[in-house]
Structures are given as C-alpha cells and as structure tokens.
Amino acid sequence: MVTTWKDIENLYQQHLTSLYPADEIKALFLIVLEEIAGINAAKYIVEKTNSVDNYSEQLTSILQELSSGRPLQHILGKADFYGEKFEVNVHTLIPRPETEELVHLIINDYKNKKELKVIDVGTGSGCIPITLKKHLNQSEVWAVDISKEALEVAKRNANSLNQHIQFILADILEWEFIFSEPQNFDIIVSNPPYITPKEMTEMHANVLHHEPHTALFVEESAPLIFYDYIADFANQHLSEHGTLYFEINQYLSLQTAELIRKKGFRTVEIFKDINGVDRMIRAKRK
Ligand SMILES: C[S@@+](CC[C@H](N)C(=O)[O-])C[C@H]1O[C@@H](n2cnc3c(N)ncnc32)[C@H](O)[C@@H]1O
C-alpha cells in the first residue's frame, strides 16, 4: 500500500493528540515537511495524496521524538527568529515570538540612529543581540549570560549569521564586577528568567522537561530579582538618554513597572504582546 503525505499527517495527529492541539500538530507537521522534504504549505495542498517515497522513515522517527515531548526545535537543532535560523539546544531557551516583538519595538525606536552601543542581558541563543546588530546601523553590541554552554551556542549563531558580538560570561546578580568604568549604553535589553514556581502548573510538559530551568525560573519569594539588579546595572551603565527594555511576566507587569520607577526611571511604559497581555517595558530616565 502506498503511504501518502496525508497518511503521515494523520499519524502525527493520532500520536501527538495528548501533547498538542490539532492546529499546532498541523503546524509542526508542516515545519517537518518543509525541513525534511522541502515541501512548503502551498505545495502540500497540491501534493498531499502523493507517495512519501523515501521520506517515511525520517518522518516517523521525528514523530517518535515529538511523542516523547521533545520540542521540535531541539529535534531539528534550530529555531526561527526574526527571519533567521538560530541554533538551539538544551542549554538555550527556544526563542519566542513575544521576544521578536520586543526586538521589533527596539528596531522601530532606533532604526534611524547610528553608532549605538547595545547590551543584552541573559542572551541564551543570542537571538536578541544578533538581530539588533543586523538591523541597527553600525552598532557595537554586547551580550551577557551566566551559562557557558548557552554562550557557546550564541557565539556559533553570531558566526554563522556574520554578526560581531562581544560576549561576556558573567552573573548579572554580580554586575559590579562586569565593567570597571561606566559604559554609556544607548540600549540595555533583557528577557530575564521570570516564571515563578506557582506558574509551572500552567506550563506545557515539553517546556518544563526540556528547556533550561536557569533560563526560565525565579524564586517565588523574589520574582523580580533580575529586574531589580538590571535596573541598578542600567543606572550605572545606561547613557543619559538611553532606553532600558524588558520582556516581563504578564502577571507582574504593574509591580515590575513600579520597581523600575522606584529606581529613578521617570518614563516607564508597558506594552502588550500579540496575545493582548502585558509583555514588554520601555523605560527612560527623563
Ligand atoms: C528567558 S532566557 C532568555 C534567552 C534569550 N535572550 C531569549 O530571549 O531567547 C534568560 C537567560 O538568562 C540567563 N541567566 C539566568 N540567570 C542569569 C544570571 N544570574 N546572569 C546572567 N544571565 C543569566 C539564562 O542562562 C538564559 O539564557
């Protein structure tokens, strides 16, 4: 009996139904199809009843891995971010669409400026600094992370996307030791860990079991610790007219904005993401 692309899609739907909603399974299947066989969504509509020929084994082996809860980006070793492919692995957060929105906000704010000095705190795969370096004219871009393994991935991404980034292995909770002189950054950006243990129950098993906990979680008793320290870092190293950008926990947006105001930032704005929840903060001293 001939196995068609549609048969394989049905197999994906059957086996992944306990893990993902049907539309997400379809989206995953289409990514696999494009990646493995070079068949995009439009071509699939026309060719879905064609035979899968030699691809059956590869497609079912990916299905097996997906069934174990492994994220597709880890299976393929890459994730899409702002139109580019970034290497990811178990040491890096898989870049999220919300973070693309944060990067988009910065690019819009600064696209007509030149020679900016930028730093990303908690860089993971390097998706934020590499994208900013690519889209902001002649900028000098730095990136910090506490994870040596994540920085190795970020460096490979910077190399393969041809962007020069200065990487620093450091703990932002000990930021006083990172630079000996004030740096005058125009932009300080961070998507720090912000999920509290209480929120774990809301999380998908494949995030909980496969993504690095140092990238995701903060203690219940100090959920804003990173915002607190990064705002202090910004008070020392942000230029007078510079901007501090954060991705934030939707449930703590008002507290986060209040904390940043208390640190002396007079203009603090909260932005919603595409899902309509509070997700970003932009702060200036003036
Ligand atoms: C939410 S992830 C963000 C990763 C990436 N910027 C992104 O948006 O996909 C947070 C990152 O902060 C890093 N991190 C956690 N604690 C840190 C610390 N004390 N100092 C510096 N980086 C830290 C983690 O290793 C992780 O890469």
Side-chain angles (χ1 to χ4, degrees):
M1 200 184 74
V2 175
T3 305
T4 67
W5 300 112
K6 183 67 189 160
D7 294 333
I8 301 275
E9 186 195 334
N10 291 342
L11 214 56
Y12 271 57
Q13 289 289 355
Q14 273 167 33
H15 286 265
L16 299 175
T17 185
S18 62
L19 285 173
Y20 302 102
D23 54 349
E24 216 172 301
I25 300 173
K26 172 106 188 189
L28 288 172
F29 175 72
L30 288 174
I31 297 171
V32 173
L33 206 58
E34 176 139 28
E35 198 59 46
I36 300 302
I39 296 178
N40 63 25
K43 203 168 169 208
Y44 177 61
I45 294 172
V46 182
E47 297 190 4
K48 60 167 87 166
T49 52
N50 288 1
S51 158
V52 300
D53 295 327
N54 306 323
Y55 293 110
S56 179
E57 211 172 295
Q58 257 177 303
L59 293 169
T60 46
S61 109
I62 291 180
L63 173 57
Q64 246 171 25
E65 293 206 66
L66 284 169
S67 310
S68 77
R70 214 172 153 211
L72 180 60
Q73 292 88 341
H74 284 176
I75 299 168
L76 300 176
K78 57 190 160 185
D80 290 316
F81 189 85
Y82 219 82
E84 297 287 358
K85 300 265 181 222
F86 284 78
E87 177 189 334
V88 290
N89 65 23
V90 289
H91 302 292
T92 59
L93 190 83
I94 297 168
R96 303 294 204 271
E98 298 89 302
T99 312
E100 290 183 306
E101 291 188 60
L102 176 70
V103 165
H104 191 64
L105 175 70
I106 302 173
I107 292 172
N108 251 335
D109 286 350
Y110 279 92
K111 58 178 183 263
N112 298 322
K113 304 253 166 55
K114 275 194 175 167
E115 294 178 11
L116 299 161
K117 193 166 170 187
V118 181
I119 189 162
D120 172 40
V121 177
T123 205
S125 63
C127 58
I128 296 177
I130 293 168
T131 309
L132 291 178
K133 173 82 186 170
K134 183 176 166 202
H135 290 271
L136 297 177
N137 268 329
Q138 300 158 19
S139 48
E140 181 189 326
V141 182
W142 301 67
V144 179
D145 207 287
I146 198 169
S147 159
K148 185 169 155 278
E149 293 83 2
L151 280 182
E152 280 163 13
V153 175
K155 282 179 192 164
R156 285 199 291 276
N157 280 324
N159 278 341
S160 60
L161 295 168
N162 282 323
Q163 302 301 331
H164 177 70
I165 311 289
Q166 316 206 41
F167 289 103
I168 306 171
L169 177 65
D171 181 351
I172 197 64
L173 303 182
E174 299 191 347
W175 63 263
E176 296 93 332
F177 303 108
I178 300 181
F179 297 109
S180 52
E181 304 280 317
Q183 292 296 304
N184 269 323
F185 286 108
D186 299 289
I187 298 169
I188 296 179
V189 51
S190 184
N191 171 21
Y194 59 67
I195 298 169
T196 60
K198 244 191 220 150
E199 293 168 63
M200 274 185 183
T201 49
E202 285 176 24
M203 292 177 78
H204 205 288
N206 69 355
V207 175
L208 262 184
H209 299 139
H210 295 272
E211 297 209 65
H213 284 200
T214 33
L216 292 168
F217 296 110
V218 280
E219 286 181 21
E220 201 74 58
S221 58
L224 301 181
I225 186 165
F226 286 100
Y227 300 92
D228 188 343
Y229 280 72
I230 294 167
D232 287 341
F233 171 80
N235 270 329
Q236 178 75 356
H237 293 297
L238 191 65
S239 70
E240 196 189 338
H241 296 285
T243 316
L244 174 60
Y245 293 90
F246 279 124
E247 186 170 317
I248 58 167
N249 182 322
Q250 66 196 83
Y251 304 114
L252 301 173
S253 57
L254 297 180
Q255 294 95 309
T256 312
E258 188 51 32
L259 168 79
I260 296 166
R261 263 187 218 106
K262 278 197 184 135
K263 297 278 177 182
F265 287 81
R266 276 194 245 157
T267 312
V268 179
E269 299 161 278
I270 298 174
F271 293 85
K272 293 191 187 302
D273 67 15
I274 197 171
N275 300 311
V277 301
D278 290 349
R279 185 61 69 203
M280 292 157 268
I281 278 185
R282 177 171 68 190
K284 282 178 169 283
R285 291 229 186 73
K286 303 275 164 189

